[in-house]
Amino acid sequence: MAASRPLPPGEFDVLVVGGGINGAGIARDLAGRGLSVCLVEQDDLAAHTSSASTKLIHGGLRYLEHREFGLVRKALGEREVLLKSAPHIMWPLRFVLPHDPSMRPAWLIRLGLFLYDHLARREVLPGSAGVDLRRSALGVPLHPHLKRGFVYSDGWVDDARLVVLNAIDASERGASVLTRTRCVQAVRGATHWQLTLADTDNPGAVRQVRARSLVNAAGPWAERFLRDVAQAKSGERLATRSLRLVKGSHIVVPRQFDHDHAYIFQSPDGRIVFAIPYERDFTLVGTTDQEVTGDPRDARCEADEVAYLCEQASRYLARPIRPADVVWTYSGVRPLLDDASGDPSAVTRDYLLEQDSQAAPLLTVWGGKITTFRQLAEDASNAICRQLGRQDEARGAWTRGASLPGGDLSEWVRAKGRPDEDFAAFVLAVRQRHPWLPPELAHRLARAHGSRIAMVLGRAQRLADLGEEVVPGVHEAELRHLQRHEWARSADDVLWRRSKLGLHLTEAQRDAVAWWMAGHPLDGTSASSTPHTTHPREELRA
């Protein structure tokens, strides 16, 4: 790795605004090239859109109908790159598309799947195939009139942990990662940005930093950041693009089928709805597409969206899903580049990197999707190095073959080249090396932390060495690790972003985690005086 040039305290080559997947990915890439980087996020990492996706690594089969072949090819090319980089949080997933003759004709689906199979190279993921639903276990949960279908491959990702792993990698390569820190003013000079950063937990606590380049990766707030925070020279307009903010809502219900495949259902309105195995005991159903105005923080899954998702899934599932079955809802606001499309579901999911080098360089990220974050970060980093004149001295593109933290399992197992098989062997190795770990806990810790499980377990030789069991399956050692190495400060950080343990715990147990976090603040951080954790149905009741 190229060494960072020494800079005065409080001065950076690049300051990145936004701790979602794009901001974290860019910070990681730049830090790995040897640049001095500061990443600031006004809330927790992945607190908004990047923890509220459908959690898929996919090319976007339906985008073929909108003739977005370039986007689909780009996304398909990234699937296996990502799957190999972090097999503990990403894995292959097979999808079943039941054929409804009243929807798209079978020949059109076959053509689409042929393109999907061949637009990018595949080494791990199997291709598509037909399936007789009358003779397959995949047809058992479906209405009997659905007689045939198609099966194809994509991938699954723990989206919030993907963001955290990128931030960890950035930090361990020298970047400063500041959560709960808002950039409240950015004044542009000829060669530097003068930036004012405010601690959101301590109003009035501000500090000044300088950066040679500014990256606006604020997601749904990107346009607002340019308009309200970034100050340009007189007469200069920084916001030249506009976003369409499109809310995608999801519902979580008790498990609807026993196999490990997901379903993709076609709706009469031309949209599609996924039904995906989720967190062992549940099924995730999503998503909707509704334009929103106002603050993206206020986005909630409304009753009409719950009804819509229940209705569309029940058109295919033999056992209907009713609103009363919903145990949790969540919504994310997608910052889509406005392409003048009338239908929100047809708005492009591609990204645009807008560069401005009229004075101190500025790069704004417009749009994007989680599957293409690594390529976006690489493109952005190439552009920033050119803007700063660092392309010769900085390390070049490096992330394509690199593992994310915890993703290199080579010290535990001999890799076979299939991420899912390598992870299964890794879990077995964890259990053999630590036979005192209960099997379910060993699997969960392996899934969450990968090879960094050694950091969580430390020198523990028995379960009691992990400290108090705060709630079933969660010990103090893990909570301390999340505080010290993953920027977790609240129960919500732990239960809904670093994990989805909140789905498996009672309200009293969630409160117990909240009280522990409040009573054991990490040195130098503040804790809420009134611990609170979100109830799984709180958004729905609102």
Side-chain angles (χ1 to χ4, degrees):
M1 180 179 71
S4 297
R5 296 175 300 117
L7 292 172
E11 186 166 322
F12 302 92
D13 288 320
V14 185
L15 186 133
V16 182
V17 176
I21 187 57
N22 290 332
I26 292 170
R28 173 203 183 210
D29 194 309
L30 287 170
R33 298 183 191 220
L35 278 72
S36 173
V37 181
C38 180
L39 172 67
V40 297
E41 162 55 43
Q42 63 182 344
D43 297 305
D44 182 30
L45 295 169
H48 301 291
T49 304
S50 293
S51 62
S53 75
T54 313
K55 312 186 190 307
L56 300 179
I57 297 294
H58 68 140
L61 182 61
R62 70 184 180 91
Y63 304 150
L64 292 174
E65 288 191 319
H66 301 298
R67 300 181 182 179
E68 293 209 52
F69 300 110
L71 171 61
V72 175
R73 180 183 292 110
K74 187 189 315 181
L76 289 174
E78 284 294 294
R79 290 182 307 179
E80 295 196 7
V81 174
L82 298 182
L83 290 171
K84 293 175 182 177
S85 71
H88 56 308
I89 66 161
M90 292 183 268
W91 55 89
L93 183 62
R94 293 286 273 174
F95 288 78
V96 182
L97 197 169
H99 179 237
D100 182 343
S102 67
M103 300 292 173
R104 298 163 178 86
W107 67 266
L108 182 62
I109 295 174
R110 283 195 296 268
L111 175 61
L113 290 174
F114 177 83
L115 292 173
Y116 209 67
D117 284 343
H118 293 89
L119 278 173
R121 181 180 178 184
R122 287 179 293 106
E123 295 179 355
V124 173
L125 298 174
S128 60
V131 60
D132 185 344
L133 297 175
R134 296 168 297 183
R135 294 180 172 84
S136 170
L138 301 175
V140 172
L142 303 176
H143 284 300
H145 75 273
L146 297 166
K147 297 180 173 56
R148 60 185 300 197
F150 304 88
V151 181
Y152 69 95
S153 294
D154 266 322
W156 166 265
V157 61
D158 184 331
D159 51 5
R161 287 210 63 76
L162 181 64
V163 176
V164 171
L165 295 189
N166 274 270
I168 290 172
D169 208 7
S171 177
E172 294 182 349
R173 295 175 187 274
S176 295
V177 178
L178 306 177
T179 62
R180 292 171 170 83
T181 302
R182 180 180 292 115
C183 181
V184 295
Q185 187 178 60
V187 180
R188 191 180 198 181
T191 60
H192 286 78
W193 287 88
Q194 186 71 34
L195 303 135
T196 303
L197 308 181
D199 186 333
T200 59
D201 285 343
N202 296 291
V206 299
R207 59 171 149 170
Q208 303 291 326
V209 301
R210 278 163 45 99
R212 296 179 61 204
S213 179
L214 177 63
V215 175
N216 172 17
W221 292 272
E223 186 178 355
R224 184 182 304 179
F225 177 81
L226 293 178
R227 184 180 66 244
D228 299 341
V229 177
Q231 298 182 11
K233 295 177 295 184
S234 178
E236 184 182 2
R237 183 173 180 269
L238 295 179
T240 63
R241 302 277 176 168
S242 60
L243 291 173
R244 290 179 69 175
L245 302 183
V246 177
K247 180 177 62 169
S249 293
H250 302 75
I251 60 174
V252 175
V253 297
R255 187 172 60 187
Q256 300 295 300
F257 41 89
D258 294 329
H259 57 75
D260 61 358
H261 286 43
Y263 290 100
I264 175 172
F265 301 142
Q266 303 172 81
S267 302
D269 58 8
R271 300 201 67 260
I272 54 95
V273 170
F274 293 103
I276 305 169
Y278 189 57
E279 285 290 309
R280 185 191 65 208
D281 300 325
F282 303 96
T283 298
L284 172 64
V285 180
T287 178
T288 59
D289 275 318
Q290 289 191 359
E291 286 202 67
V292 297
T293 58
D295 193 333
R297 292 168 180 263
D298 298 330
R300 296 290 184 270
C301 181
E302 305 294 343
D304 63 325
E305 294 177 283
V306 173
Y308 171 84
L309 292 173
C310 289
E311 178 184 0
Q312 299 310 316
S314 298
R315 293 182 62 253
Y316 290 85
L317 295 173
R319 184 174 63 185
I321 297 177
R322 298 179 175 85
D325 299 326
V326 176
V327 298
W328 185 47
T329 70
Y330 66 87
S331 298
V333 176
R334 310 181 192 99
L336 305 181
L337 187 63
D338 194 349
D339 61 0
S341 174
D343 181 1
S345 66
V347 180
T348 182
R349 266 58 173 174
D350 210 347
Y351 60 83
L352 173 70
L353 303 177
E354 184 176 20
Q355 303 175 59
D356 181 344
S357 300
Q358 295 301 312
L362 168 68
L363 185 142
T364 297
V365 178
W366 300 104
K369 63 195 298 281
I370 199 165
T371 306
T372 55
F373 90 89
R374 191 209 62 83
Q375 185 64 60
L376 181 155
E378 184 176 288
D379 293 344
S381 297
N382 289 340
I384 292 163
C385 286
R386 287 193 298 269
Q387 287 179 326
L388 296 178
R390 295 287 304 275
Q391 62 266 40
D392 293 331
E393 59 179 292
R395 176 183 179 181
W398 62 276
T399 59
R400 173 167 288 273
S403 295
L404 284 161
D408 183 357
L409 308 179
S410 60
E411 293 187 7
W412 293 76
V413 298
R414 180 177 297 177
K416 297 181 180 179
R418 282 193 57 92
D420 49 348
E421 294 180 359
D422 292 343
F423 178 76
F426 168 64
V427 174
L428 181 61
V430 168
R431 293 184 60 184
Q432 291 173 338
R433 192 175 298 187
H434 304 282
W436 50 270
L437 273 176
E440 186 173 331
L441 178 59
H443 187 276
R444 186 184 69 76
L445 293 177
R447 184 58 89 187
H449 303 285
S451 57
R452 290 169 68 92
I453 192 174
M455 296 177 64
V456 179
L457 300 179
R459 299 181 179 179
Q461 298 295 315
R462 54 180 184 162
L463 199 58
D465 294 340
L466 298 181
E468 176 192 350
E469 188 174 28
V470 179
V471 294
V474 181
H475 295 77
E476 287 184 305
E478 185 179 12
L479 295 177
R480 285 292 190 196
H481 174 84
L482 296 178
Q483 288 180 318
R484 291 169 178 161
H485 301 285
E486 297 195 6
W487 301 276
R489 293 195 195 176
S490 72
D492 280 0
D493 296 350
V494 171
L495 299 178
W496 299 106
R497 286 181 286 277
R498 304 307 181 277
S499 74
K500 290 297 181 288
L501 285 166
L503 274 172
H504 302 279
L505 301 177
T506 66
E507 185 172 3
Q509 290 168 338
R510 291 191 295 271
D511 287 341
V513 175
W515 281 107
W516 190 94
M517 295 292 289
H520 299 78
L522 194 62
D523 292 343
T525 66
S526 60
S528 170
S529 60
T530 54
H532 171 72
T533 180
T534 304
H535 188 282
R537 288 183 62 95
E538 186 171 71
E539 291 184 24
L540 183 57
R541 288 203 307 268

